[in-house]
Amino acid sequence: MLAASTLGGGVQEGPAPSYAAHRQRVLADSVPVTVALVLALTLFYAVIDLYRAPNAWQAISYALELAVPLVALLLARSILARHIEALTLYADICFTALIAFRVLLPSTTVSGTALFLSLKLLSTAVLWPWHPLTQYISTAATMLLYYLALSASGRLVERPHEMVGPLIAAVLSCVGAAIADRTRRDLWQRSLALSESESRARSLLEAERLLGAIAREISVLTDLRGTLDRINVLTAAALGCDYSMTYLVDRAQGAVIPAATNCDDPPMREVIMTRRSPLDTPLVRELLAGRSVVINDPATQTWLAAEEMVGVRSVALTPISAKGQVVGVLTVTRTTNAAPIDDRQVALLKAIAAQAAIAIENARLFETLAKSEASYRDLFERATDLIFVIEEDGALRFANQAALDFVGMPAEALCSKRWQDFVSPDSRALVERRLRLARRRRAGAERAFAVEVCPEGRPSAVLELRTRCISPPGQPRAFQCVARDVTDRRRQERETQQLLTQLREANRLQGEFVANMSHELRTPLNVIIGYADLLGDEPGLQADSDARLFLQRIASAGRALHRLVESVLEYARLDRGRSVLIPRRFPASELLRELHELGEDVRGSSEITVRVQAQADLHFCTDYDRLYSVLSNLLLNAIKFTAAGSVELAVRRVGLQAEFTVRDTGIGIDAEELAHVFEPFRQVDGSPTRTYGGVGLGLAIVRRNAGLLGGTVEVESQLGVGSCFRVRLPLELNEDAAERAA
């Protein structure tokens, strides 16, 4: 469980707020060390010097020099510590004056004094981390005191280094102090940056620890209300606040609705859980825009009403966003803690809100999954198909109600069975092979296959089965099987197949009968037509005699019957696939001339005009008889359905094809019947009292022969106006068409 935590760590001294303060601090820290060093060196030199040449004035001088650093150290630990730089400067000047005015003593040499002052100038630049300006003042004072002491002593400067040496040391000390100060400034800035980085890192680590603890706790929660309650408890503890609330955005109701809070006081909790905010308020609009709101001064804020801020010291609100949309608001409130909510805590609140968004989405997904699982379970139990799961070793794991009803046993008894107990021996090898295939191919179910099953105490049945592997990789394999009882369907399929075979045989016998009958009828018809023509050509018969008229009618009726028999015979050959193409080369004029003679012969009325294009500069290489059959059927059909008017046959070249057009001014065809005109035995007027004869095979023969020749046939017609048939055929019969015909 997550304990109450604070964002701040222990109190520790950090970098100074400014470089000047940092310099004062470093200078104060260096005073004891510097004083000790000066005392040690001065005392060491004084002992050696006095031992070599004891002198009362020298002893007094050394005593005063030792007293200056001690007094400075004592004053640095007093109230003068805040003026440490001025104090060290005064001590330095005093110490310098004692060294410089030792030149007044007869036992002191000018060279020694110059050396000591040079060392002092260089030492202060190194040992005193003060401002370069202070070093400049110290250097100027040192040089002034030195030259004043020389003047007061009345000594002559005999060597150049006694004059130039301290001056060089002064310049070097000033330059060194400036460089050292710049170096110390750079180090302080880097230290400050490092300290800020460490502070941020500590804050991030602490926030990460808190977020990790929050994520671990809420990740195991699956219900939405429990998740939100726990989020509020953890948020209040992590930010050191008294209350935390979670609101959900309900766009259907147009308001932000409270969903959970950590408040344990029943009256206050009831007040919180009944408070709603419309979506059009400024505060809610700000949150829906994805921006957080922090109120640390309730007296001057304008987001909330004054009565809502009674007893509140600070409030922070941040949106909860999921998939780019604000779904809720997470808030924290302080009523006893006067500390304001800072930016670091707001950042942590935003991070918790992000975790809350994930938790809310997960909780909703769990709820949706639970509903889906319940729906799936309901569908699973209500399914009419047989659904069951089998283990790798063949054991039945569970089955739906349809499967239990099929085998006639309860679920407890079925779990003790294996699938091999229900499958016939002939089908077991097939099922095992399909299970191995499903094991290798895990994506989706395999195609269905038939299995014969034999449940105990029930008749055998045929199931159409699908299998697929449903276990994750690395887990013991399990297979889902979906089966459907197709026993009746298979029986019906067998009966239908038998019936279809019988119908095909009957159709074959019928075709052979029609072909044989056509052959048998054609022979006596040829005799009748031949003898009628011979008798009609007898010179003894008068042209207008009844005998000649009867003979002409006999011949005409015989020819009509002969054409009918020829149509039936030709369709029978086409239907049985016994068509052979015999291509030959011929001009179009030959075909058109024969068709014109046919039209004139069958024209039964002088009111019909038959026009056939006389000349056509085209040559064909195709089956002459079949092309003649196509065009003659169309021509005879047009003449038959034209009582008065004209029938026209024309041909033209279209690329490598020829287009034949048969146009008439007959009765026309209704638009609803156009789709059926090429079907065999189909007539527009099928009644016993129809006006026009025929059996309805002409146009069917036209389409089949046109297809054999590699062409097409189309029709346009308007009832009462006439019809137009267009046949397009290649000029040269290609080999593919000939092979298809064969």
Side-chain angles (χ1 to χ4, degrees):
M1 301 298 290
L2 183 66
S5 302
T6 58
L7 296 179
V11 178
Q12 59 182 1
E13 185 178 0
S18 65
Y19 178 63
H22 171 72
R23 187 169 54 237
Q24 293 289 330
R25 181 187 298 174
V26 175
L27 183 58
D29 293 340
S30 65
V31 166
V33 178
T34 304
V35 168
L37 183 60
V38 171
L39 288 174
L41 293 175
T42 303
L43 182 61
F44 176 74
Y45 187 80
V47 170
I48 294 176
D49 190 25
L50 292 176
Y51 177 77
R52 183 180 61 83
N55 187 299
W57 290 105
Q58 290 278 40
I60 295 173
S61 174
Y62 285 129
L64 293 175
E65 291 177 8
L66 292 172
V68 170
L70 290 174
V71 172
L73 180 60
L74 294 175
L75 293 176
R77 296 183 176 276
S78 65
I79 59 175
L80 295 177
R82 66 183 64 181
H83 306 293
I84 188 66
E85 193 163 1
L87 179 61
T88 55
L89 179 60
Y90 295 150
D92 176 75
I93 293 174
C94 293
F95 191 78
T96 302
L98 292 173
I99 295 175
F101 281 97
R102 284 182 58 191
V103 78
L104 299 176
L105 299 175
S107 60
T108 303
T109 63
V110 177
S111 297
T113 303
L115 176 61
F116 273 108
L117 290 177
S118 299
L119 291 175
K120 194 280 306 182
L121 287 171
L122 296 176
S123 299
T124 53
V126 176
L127 297 177
W128 294 122
W130 53 21
H131 197 283
L133 181 59
T134 306
Q135 180 67 29
Y136 303 155
I137 296 173
S138 173
T139 301
T142 301
M143 298 306 297
L144 179 62
L145 291 171
Y146 176 60
Y147 292 126
L148 286 176
L150 284 178
S151 299
S153 67
R155 295 186 181 189
L156 296 176
V157 178
E158 298 176 354
R159 299 177 180 86
H161 68 268
E162 295 175 351
M163 182 64 72
V164 179
L167 183 61
I168 295 174
V171 174
L172 291 177
S173 68
C174 291
V175 174
I179 295 175
D181 185 72
R182 186 167 63 248
T183 303
R184 286 191 295 269
R185 182 187 294 272
D186 293 341
L187 291 175
W188 173 79
Q189 290 176 346
R190 292 181 183 179
S191 176
L192 183 64
L194 181 60
S195 178
E196 292 178 353
S197 177
E198 290 178 353
S199 178
R200 288 194 299 269
R202 284 195 300 271
S203 299
L204 291 175
L205 288 175
E206 180 67 14
E208 185 177 356
R209 185 183 68 82
L210 293 172
L211 290 175
I214 292 173
R216 284 193 299 271
E217 287 217 19
I218 64 179
S219 62
V220 299
L221 302 175
T222 58
D223 62 301
L224 183 59
R225 181 55 57 86
T227 301
L228 297 179
D229 286 339
R230 191 58 188 158
I231 287 173
N232 292 139
V233 173
L234 299 175
T235 303
L239 274 74
C241 297
D242 300 292
Y243 301 108
S244 175
M245 287 78 73
T246 303
Y247 298 84
L248 296 180
V249 178
D250 192 335
R251 288 177 170 80
Q253 299 185 20
V256 177
I257 301 174
T261 180
N262 70 323
C263 180
D264 295 330
D265 185 26
M268 185 176 293
R269 183 182 180 89
E270 184 178 358
V271 171
I272 293 174
M273 297 301 292
T274 56
R275 182 180 299 170
R276 299 189 177 191
S277 299
L279 297 181
D280 56 354
T281 59
L283 177 59
V284 176
R285 287 201 300 268
E286 184 76 5
L287 293 169
L288 292 179
R291 293 184 287 270
S292 300
V293 175
V294 180
I295 302 174
N296 284 322
D297 190 0
T300 59
Q301 62 87 29
T302 59
W303 294 108
L304 297 170
E307 58 270 13
E308 296 184 77
M309 299 299 294
V310 175
V312 176
R313 293 178 178 269
S314 57
V315 178
L317 307 94
T318 191
I320 301 173
S321 301
K323 298 179 181 178
Q325 187 179 27
V326 178
V327 298
V329 178
L330 181 63
T331 71
V332 289
T333 305
R334 287 178 177 172
T335 58
T336 58
N337 187 358
I341 299 175
D342 56 22
D343 293 340
R344 188 171 56 179
Q345 292 173 330
V346 173
L348 180 58
L349 182 63
K350 291 180 180 179
I352 295 175
Q355 291 287 343
I358 298 174
I360 290 173
E361 286 297 309
N362 290 341
R364 287 178 172 174
L365 287 175
F366 273 110
E367 291 182 355
T368 304
L369 182 61
K371 293 179 181 178
S372 300
E373 185 178 359
S375 300
Y376 174 77
R377 173 63 63 178
D378 183 64
L379 291 174
F380 178 79
E381 293 297 335
R382 293 176 179 270
T384 57
D385 289 343
L386 283 61
I387 305 175
F388 49 92
V389 175
I390 61 176
E391 302 285 355
E392 177 79 11
D393 57 357
L396 292 167
R397 181 187 296 178
F398 59 86
N400 67 342
Q401 190 60 42
L404 296 176
D405 295 340
F406 178 79
V407 297
M409 62 177 59
E412 296 79 9
L414 185 66
C415 291
S416 62
K417 298 288 186 179
R418 297 162 52 88
W419 65 265
Q420 292 88 344
D421 299 334
F422 299 96
V423 178
S424 65
D426 296 336
S427 299
R428 289 176 185 173
L430 175 61
V431 175
E432 291 175 352
R433 186 168 63 253
R434 288 307 184 100
L435 290 178
R436 288 194 299 270
L437 185 61
R439 186 184 303 115
R440 292 195 300 269
R441 298 177 57 187
R442 308 181 66 90
E446 297 293 333
R447 61 184 181 87
F449 59 97
V451 177
E452 184 179 0
V453 296
C454 305
E456 296 180 3
R458 291 174 176 263
S460 61
V462 178
L463 298 182
E464 191 177 71
L465 186 65
R466 295 177 184 270
T467 62
R468 68 185 183 99
C469 185
I470 60 173
S471 57
Q475 299 293 328
R477 290 188 178 89
F479 302 90
Q480 183 190 58
C481 302
V482 180
R484 180 173 297 176
D485 189 356
V486 294
T487 305
D488 294 338
R489 192 184 74 184
R490 289 300 178 93
R491 178 180 52 78
Q492 293 174 359
E493 288 177 355
R494 289 194 299 269
E495 294 176 354
T496 302
Q497 188 64 34
Q498 293 175 358
L499 180 60
L500 182 61
T501 303
Q502 295 174 0
L503 290 176
R504 287 175 178 172
E505 182 64 19
N507 190 37
R508 185 185 64 80
L509 294 175
Q510 179 183 358
E512 291 181 357
F513 172 76
V514 170
N516 294 333
M517 287 299 298
S518 299
H519 278 290
E520 295 298 328
L521 290 174
R522 190 166 52 175
T523 300
L525 281 176
N526 288 333
V527 174
I528 293 173
I529 295 171
Y531 279 111
D533 290 338
L534 288 174
L535 292 175
D537 292 337
E538 284 293 326
L541 290 176
Q542 298 181 2
D544 55 349
S545 64
D546 293 340
R548 183 177 292 276
L549 179 62
F550 293 156
L551 290 173
Q552 290 177 352
R553 289 181 177 178
I554 291 172
S556 176
R559 289 189 178 89
L561 184 59
H562 187 272
R563 286 195 296 272
L564 180 62
V565 171
E566 283 292 335
S567 297
V568 173
L569 183 60
E570 183 174 3
Y571 183 78
R573 287 197 300 267
L574 292 172
D575 194 47
R576 287 184 296 170
R578 297 182 180 179
S579 302
V580 179
L581 295 179
I582 306 175
R584 70 179 180 88
R585 193 171 297 277
F586 59 90
S589 57
E590 176 185 348
L591 176 65
L592 295 175
R593 182 174 60 255
E594 188 171 350
L595 290 172
H596 183 267
E597 294 175 356
L598 174 65
E600 290 296 332
D601 290 342
V602 299
R603 181 168 61 93
S605 172
S606 60
E607 297 180 359
I608 302 175
T609 302
V610 178
R611 292 192 295 272
V612 178
Q613 183 176 336
Q615 297 295 331
D617 190 14
L618 294 174
H619 287 77
F620 293 91
C621 182
T622 186
D623 192 309
Y624 182 90
D625 294 333
R626 295 201 179 277
L627 181 56
Y628 178 82
S629 173
V630 170
L631 298 177
S632 63
N633 273 293
L634 292 176
L635 185 64
L636 295 176
N637 203 60
I639 295 173
K640 180 172 67 172
F641 291 102
T642 303
S646 63
V647 175
E648 180 180 357
L649 188 152
V651 61
R652 67 187 181 96
R653 182 178 184 136
V654 181
L656 297 178
Q657 293 183 326
E659 182 183 84
F660 293 91
T661 303
V662 179
R663 192 185 306 272
D664 65 69
T665 59
I667 62 175
I669 305 172
D670 187 70
E672 296 181 357
E673 297 292 336
L674 280 177
H676 309 290
V677 295
F678 293 104
E679 296 178 5
F681 306 107
R682 188 70 175 259
Q683 291 183 311
V684 176
D685 184 9
S687 62
T689 59
R690 63 182 185 273
T691 305
Y692 305 97
V695 293
L697 291 176
L699 294 180
I701 294 173
V702 166
R703 168 164 284 186
R704 292 205 177 188
N705 279 329
L708 288 175
L709 297 176
T712 59
V713 57
E714 299 175 353
V715 59
E716 297 176 2
S717 183
Q718 186 176 353
L719 195 62
V721 177
S723 304
C724 177
F725 289 84
R726 288 187 177 86
V727 180
R728 281 197 176 188
L729 301 169
L731 296 173
E732 301 282 341
L733 183 65
N734 54 39
E735 296 180 359
D736 293 340
E739 290 178 0
R740 286 198 304 269

